[in-house]
Amino acid sequence: MLKSPYDTDCITWSPQGRLFQIEYAMEAIKQGSLCVGLKSNDYAILATLNRAPSKLAEYQQKLYEIDEHIGLCFSGLTADGRLICKYLRTEALNYKYTHGTNINPQRLVGKLSDKAQIKTQRHSKRPYGVGCLVIGLDENGPHVYETSPDANFYEYYAVAIGARCQSAKTYLEKNYETFSNLSKDELIIHAVKAVKSSAQSDVELNGRSVSVAIVGRDTPFKFLTSDEIEATLSQLSQAMEVEV
C-alpha cells in the first residue's frame, strides 16, 4: 500500500478533501462480520454471522446486551467493539442510577456518536474501527440505529453492515414494507434469511455461527438459544427444498 503524507492522523485533510484515517476505519467495517438489524411495530431484532479465527478457535461474540431494553452488535475491530459496549453499559447504568428510569435509546446512541466525534478531532487519537447496530425500546416502540466511525448515526427500518452485506441489504429492501405487522417468529425468520443470503457457500450456519437477539413491547432484551436458531435454520432449509 502506498504511503500517503495525509494519513498519519485523523485531522489532516488531503487536497481532495478526504480524511484517510476515517476511510480506513470505514473499510474495517466492510471487512468485519455481517450484522443485520430490522424492526416491526412491536419488535426489533439483531442477527449476526459469527466468525472463528481458525478451525481450532471458538466463534467470536459480536452481539451484546447493553440493558434490559437495548442491545448492540458490531462489525469491525473486536477490541473497539468491546470497548464501546463497556462504555454504553456504564452510561445506561449511570442514567438509571441517577434518574431511576431506563435511558432513551436515541440519547444513548447520541452519546456514543459524541464520543466517536472526539476521536476525529485530536491528532493523538484514531477513529473507532467499528460500526454498530443498536436496537432499543422506548415509549414510541422499537428502534434500529446504525453508528459509524465518522460520528454519524441513523435510524432504519432495516439495515445490514459488514462483509458481503449487499445481498442482505437487497433482501431487506425487497421485504421491509411487510415487516410492520409481523409476529416475533416471522420477524426472526426474515432476520435469519437476510443473514443466510449473505453467507458464503462454504460457511456452515448453525446455532453457534449465527446469533440472534430480540427486544419488544412485551419482551425484554434476550438472546435466542442455539436450539431456537437451529430450528429456524432447519425451517428455512425445508422451505427452500419445497420451492425447488
Side-chain angles (χ1 to χ4, degrees):
M1 188 172 182
L2 295 177
K3 176 69 175 176
S4 170
Y6 304 104
D7 66 355
T8 55
D9 59 59
C10 60
I11 62 172
T12 301
W13 295 78
S14 75
Q16 293 76 33
R18 298 166 62 183
L19 288 172
F20 289 108
Q21 286 275 336
I22 293 178
E23 292 185 15
Y24 297 159
M26 301 292 284
E27 188 63 29
I29 299 172
K30 296 178 183 178
Q31 304 298 325
S33 300
L34 175 70
C35 298
V36 173
L38 62 159
K39 69 171 185 174
S40 66
N41 291 336
D42 298 315
Y43 303 98
I45 290 179
L46 290 176
T48 66
L49 183 60
N50 302 324
R51 287 179 175 175
S54 70
K55 293 183 179 180
L56 300 177
E58 183 56 87
Y59 291 101
Q60 289 184 317
Q61 183 181 359
K62 298 290 185 177
L63 185 53
Y64 291 86
E65 178 181 1
I66 303 301
D67 202 347
E68 62 184 10
H69 68 301
I70 299 176
L72 169 147
C73 66
F74 59 82
S75 177
L77 301 181
T78 303
D80 286 3
R82 290 199 302 265
L83 183 67
I84 286 174
C85 179
K86 181 180 178 181
Y87 168 76
L88 294 180
R89 284 173 172 172
T90 301
E91 289 296 320
L93 186 62
N94 288 341
Y95 188 92
K96 183 178 290 186
Y97 179 79
T98 303
H99 301 281
T101 186
N102 290 331
I103 189 170
N104 183 281
Q106 184 169 333
R107 178 188 290 270
L108 189 61
V109 172
K111 283 179 173 288
L112 174 57
S113 292
D114 291 341
K115 185 176 178 65
Q117 180 71 31
I118 295 174
K119 301 290 186 178
T120 68
Q121 294 176 327
R122 298 177 182 174
H123 72 276
S124 59
K125 304 291 186 180
R126 67 163 177 83
Y128 288 122
V130 66
C132 301
L133 298 185
V134 179
I135 58 172
L137 184 73
D138 61 16
E139 63 276 6
N140 297 317
H143 302 274
V144 178
Y145 300 97
E146 178 197 359
T147 69
S148 59
D150 59 5
N152 284 320
F153 72 92
Y154 309 92
E155 184 174 0
Y156 287 91
Y157 295 107
V159 65
I161 60 174
R164 297 171 59 89
C165 68
Q166 187 55 52
S167 296
K169 285 183 178 179
T170 300
Y171 175 83
L172 295 172
E173 287 170 358
K174 289 180 179 178
N175 295 278
Y176 81 94
E177 292 179 341
T178 67
F179 292 168
S180 298
N181 299 312
L182 293 184
S183 66
K184 181 184 354 181
D185 293 336
E186 291 171 329
L187 203 61
I188 290 172
I189 289 175
H190 279 293
V192 176
K193 271 187 176 181
V195 171
K196 189 178 180 68
S197 67
S198 285
Q200 293 178 309
S201 58
D202 60 340
V203 175
E204 181 184 0
L205 299 182
N206 52 50
R208 293 169 56 243
S209 63
V210 177
S211 296
V212 181
I214 185 170
V215 68
R217 294 183 186 274
D218 58 352
T219 307
F221 183 88
K222 71 171 186 175
F223 294 91
L224 267 64
T225 65
S226 296
D227 292 339
E228 290 174 321
I229 295 173
E230 293 275 8
T232 302
L233 289 169
S234 177
Q235 182 180 346
L236 290 178
S237 298
Q238 294 174 0
M240 291 177 65
E241 291 176 0
V242 170
E243 290 177 0
V244 173

